[in-house]
Amino acid sequence: MSETRVQGQPKRLFIKTYGCQMNVYDSERMADVLRPLGYATADRPEDADFVILNTCHIREKAAEKVYSELGRLKAIRAEREAQGFPRSTIAVAGCVAQAEGEQIMLRQPAVDMVVGPQAYHQLPELLARAARSRGERLAADFAADEKFDALPAERAVSGPTAFLTVQEGCDKFCSFCVVPYTRGAEWSRPAQTILDEARALAAKGVREVTLLGQNVNAYDGAGPDGAPWTLARLARALAGIEGLDRIRYTTSHPNDMSDDLIAAHAELDALMPYLHLPVQAGSDRILRAMNRKHTAEIYIRLIERIRAARPDMAISGDFIVGFPGETEKDFEDTLSLVREVGYASAFSFRYSKRPGTPAAAMPQQVADEVAEDRLHRLQALLFEQQAAFNAAQAGRTLNVLFEKPGRHREQAIGRSPYLQSVHVEDARNLMGRIVPVRITSGQQNSLTGELVREYA
């Protein structure tokens, strides 16, 4: 347990983040919101005056994991109080908070406040209310525009890469997904506010931004003249910012992969040749049940168009196995699609029943052991493809953005254009720089390389 805090020492904030990159961005911005109140960051909850669980509701049993963690935090708080520390504050934020806010407070009275993903700008106000005999403790608004208007312009930056949220919410209503219910309808930030934030990040040494959205390629934020911009137009404007050399975006929907965005990949060196484009299944019957509104053939032809525009494009995807009604033939169709597309990386999951979604009430729920077997078979194929893609980089020279020290003395770890981790010796003096690296070998999850001669 930590030592007693010296009088006048900053209050401490600990945030545990679950789930997606959107939540990582939100956690960073929560820290920004609380910094003017005197909160510095803590590395563990035992040292924190304010603990926030920033939750994700996508996977099965997500809420149960939160309650388990809350029980642990309650015990930590009791031990701190026994040592004479002031009572710490516990908050639940994110999508579980949005979906189950009142239930959380009823089930775990140790929780001081619950904050949905569009309302965390209200944390200072909620803290003040909690200090006044536990006033209103639930904030679950859906007003994303109000959130971004209220966030401080100043962002803390800890390296050469940063997330930048440009769009929130989703209107697709896939039958398995809770996002439309926890994040709300699609909403895009105005282009000028994004450009201003990106310029500020570049001024602090950020070389690469990843544009975030639940459905990011549906971006249609107002431009400076009031007319809507596409993601492609936004990317072109971002590419013109001095010091900002790399642009990525995630997550996209196949139906919003527009011609101008494909063209931007062909024309903009700053747009990295790595695209995360979920398909979820290779069976048209299952895709219809998922309400994906595209077929396997449409997806495959789209990948062909993208690769025709950018031949070195690496494709990443998402897959769900064991969806209600999925037969062995449906699963074989998914394996067939994977073989035809060829993925550099992918995320695959066993179907999770999410209460309140249409799929949860569908008949023919697939037995757990069947779904688990299919997941293992799918992952074996995906891992094989990923290993082959990484191995194929050996002998190539790739531009690597160095981000952090490696385990060994003078070793540094960077990112390739394809988002792979690259381990390089004698490169710690190159942090924040983009440097050509000759790849010597490719492993399952990373690459090994050496500096080209002029940098060695």
Side-chain angles (χ1 to χ4, degrees):
M1 190 60 65
S2 59
E3 297 178 0
T4 304
R5 188 171 66 245
V6 177
Q7 184 69 27
Q9 187 174 346
K11 293 173 286 188
R12 296 290 178 181
L13 168 70
F14 175 81
I15 305 178
K16 182 169 183 176
T17 306
Y18 301 80
C20 68
Q21 293 153 317
M22 294 284 286
N23 272 14
V24 175
Y25 174 88
D26 286 348
S27 291
E28 292 173 354
R29 298 303 271 149
M30 281 189 267
D32 291 336
V33 166
L34 293 167
R35 194 169 292 110
L37 300 184
Y39 283 95
T41 57
D43 294 328
R44 57 182 196 152
E46 288 85 350
D47 300 325
D49 304 280
F50 189 10
V51 179
I52 302 174
L53 302 183
N54 191 12
T55 61
C56 175
H57 205 254
I58 295 298
R59 306 311 312 153
E60 188 177 14
K61 300 180 181 177
E64 293 308 312
K65 292 179 181 178
V66 171
Y67 288 117
S68 175
E69 184 67 11
L70 286 172
R72 189 174 78 90
L73 294 178
K74 181 181 179 181
I76 290 172
R77 178 162 67 188
E79 188 174 347
R80 280 174 55 89
E81 289 185 88
Q83 293 187 354
F85 284 90
R87 186 181 189 276
S88 57
T89 301
I90 298 174
V92 179
C95 292
V96 172
Q98 185 71 45
E100 304 186 23
E102 293 184 1
Q103 182 180 350
I104 289 170
M105 291 190 293
L106 288 171
R107 182 170 167 183
Q108 181 48 274
V111 174
D112 297 290
M113 63 188 69
V114 176
V115 189
Q118 307 298 14
Y120 59 74
H121 62 290
Q122 298 177 30
L123 277 170
E125 181 181 353
L126 290 172
L127 270 173
R129 290 175 180 174
R132 296 195 300 268
S133 302
R134 296 169 70 86
E136 177 60 45
R137 298 179 291 134
L138 173 63
D141 300 333
F142 270 126
D145 54 340
E146 293 180 9
K147 176 181 75 175
F148 283 102
D149 287 345
L151 291 177
E154 188 71 13
R155 281 187 61 183
V157 173
S158 59
T161 65
F163 293 130
L164 179 51
T165 291
V166 302
Q167 181 269 343
E168 292 207 6
C170 185
D171 295 341
K172 295 295 187 288
F173 288 93
C174 295
S175 62
F176 54 82
C177 187
V178 297
V179 166
Y181 312 103
T182 58
R183 288 275 182 169
E186 289 178 5
W187 177 83
S188 298
R189 295 177 67 188
Q192 191 60 58
T193 65
I194 297 168
L195 296 173
D196 291 344
E197 188 171 343
R199 288 190 186 95
L201 291 171
K204 291 185 174 184
V206 170
R207 307 291 302 277
E208 174 183 301
V209 293
T210 300
L211 309 181
L212 300 180
Q214 269 83 31
N215 194 23
V216 69
N217 58 343
Y219 175 82
D220 63 352
D225 62 353
W229 279 22
T230 63
L231 186 64
R233 187 169 181 182
L234 179 64
R236 292 180 189 279
L238 288 166
I241 294 176
E242 185 176 356
L244 197 61
D245 299 294
R246 289 181 164 190
I247 301 167
R248 305 183 188 273
Y249 60 90
T250 193
T251 293
S252 300
H253 194 285
N255 292 356
D256 292 307
M257 200 69 203
S258 60
D259 291 341
D260 69 332
L261 187 53
I262 295 173
H265 274 287
E267 299 162 7
L268 289 179
D269 290 339
L271 262 184
M272 291 294 94
Y274 176 91
L275 176 62
H276 184 66
L277 194 63
V279 63
Q280 307 299 356
S283 160
D284 288 347
R285 194 177 70 84
I286 295 301
L287 288 170
R288 282 193 300 272
M290 289 179 167
N291 196 36
R292 291 290 293 174
K293 299 185 175 69
H294 64 77
T295 64
E297 180 72 12
I298 287 172
Y299 180 86
I300 291 168
R301 299 289 84 82
L302 175 60
I303 297 298
E304 290 175 352
R305 289 173 53 216
I306 293 166
R307 283 177 166 155
R310 186 72 186 257
D312 64 336
M313 182 68 79
I315 302 297
S316 173
D318 285 351
F319 295 89
I320 295 173
V321 301
F323 190 80
E326 182 187 68
T327 65
E328 183 64 20
K329 171 62 168 59
D330 294 321
F331 175 68
E332 288 293 340
D333 287 345
T334 295
L335 294 179
S336 178
L337 180 143
V338 170
R339 294 187 187 100
E340 183 160 359
V341 171
Y343 287 88
S345 64
F347 302 93
S348 51
F349 308 94
R350 193 178 71 181
Y351 168 71
S352 295
K353 184 187 294 187
R354 307 310 299 137
T357 60
M362 288 181 178
Q364 298 180 291
Q365 298 283 326
V366 176
D368 288 348
E369 60 272 20
V370 174
E372 193 68 24
D373 173 69
R374 290 173 183 170
L375 180 62
H376 289 159
R377 290 155 61 194
L378 172 62
Q379 288 181 339
L381 176 58
L382 291 170
F383 292 164
E384 178 185 319
Q385 291 187 346
Q386 180 175 323
F389 180 80
N390 287 351
Q393 308 312 308
R396 296 185 64 189
T397 297
L398 302 177
N399 288 329
V400 172
L401 172 57
F402 285 103
E403 296 181 283
K404 59 184 179 181
R407 292 182 180 179
H408 306 142
R409 181 182 175 89
E410 299 306 317
Q411 185 188 64
I413 301 174
R415 291 284 180 181
S416 76
Y418 306 115
L419 205 59
Q420 301 135 312
S421 291
V422 185
H423 297 75
V424 182
E425 303 299 327
D426 301 317
R428 284 204 181 186
N429 62 323
L430 297 173
M431 294 300 172
R433 295 179 62 183
I434 300 173
V435 175
V437 170
R438 190 178 73 84
I439 305 303
T440 56
S441 64
Q443 294 77 47
Q444 178 68 56
N445 297 308
S446 65
L447 307 177
T448 302
E450 59 187 16
L451 299 174
V452 297
R453 183 170 300 175
E454 57 263 41
Y455 291 92

